[in-house]
Amino acid sequence: MTLPRNVLWFEVLLYLSLTLDAVSVAFQDRTPTAKMTEQMINTGTLMAAGLILLLVYFVRLAAEHRKNWPRWVLAAALVLSVISLVQMIGEKGLAFDSGIEVISCALTAAGLYCSFTGDAVGWFNA
């Protein structure tokens, strides 16, 4: 069976968002400070990488294996990301890294919108 157009857009947009997140993690400042030791920074980086890989797996489950529940997990992750982004912008203001996160959240929201509309509606309930 061929992949519906909206499901393809969902997959592409979510993978773009996760790629942007991975690039953002790769270029994070890893300078140890009094509050953040090198071990804490490395642990955070590994946890972020693991979460990105888990979300990639959820996108694959939803798009290629027609599972419905990963879309809802991705939607919940988007809500948590937006809350975190609002807090980060409130504390530090709009900076380059928060701008990247805004773009990532927008790509995720657009992808999830595609997954709930158009020819994708019946795809995930099969």
Side-chain angles (χ1 to χ4, degrees):
M1 183 172 225
T2 181
L3 202 64
R5 184 172 165 245
N6 277 22
V7 175
L8 179 64
W9 275 110
F10 159 73
E11 195 173 20
V12 167
L13 291 170
L14 268 288
Y15 284 146
L16 281 173
S17 171
L18 291 170
T19 301
L20 198 57
D21 289 341
V23 169
S24 175
V25 168
F27 288 107
Q28 270 182 341
D29 182 23
R30 290 190 180 82
T31 308
T33 63
K35 291 183 180 180
M36 290 289 285
T37 65
E38 187 176 342
Q39 186 177 20
M40 291 169 64
I41 293 169
N42 289 339
T43 302
T45 302
L46 286 175
M47 288 178 66
L51 181 62
I52 289 170
L53 288 174
L54 181 65
L55 294 175
V56 165
Y57 178 66
F58 286 166
V59 172
R60 185 172 184 270
L61 273 178
E64 296 178 17
H65 295 282
R66 303 176 76 168
K67 303 290 183 186
N68 191 32
W69 65 266
R71 286 190 308 164
W72 292 103
V73 173
L74 291 165
L78 174 63
V79 170
L80 294 175
S81 293
V82 169
I83 291 170
S84 171
L85 179 63
V86 168
Q87 289 176 344
M88 185 170 67
I89 291 174
E91 289 176 11
K92 300 178 183 178
L94 194 58
F96 183 71
D97 57 343
S98 58
I100 290 174
E101 291 300 319
V102 167
I103 293 169
S104 176
C105 286
L107 287 170
T108 302
L112 284 169
Y113 175 78
C114 287
S115 77
F116 285 99
T117 59
D119 57 358
V121 171
W123 180 260
F124 298 100
N125 298 325

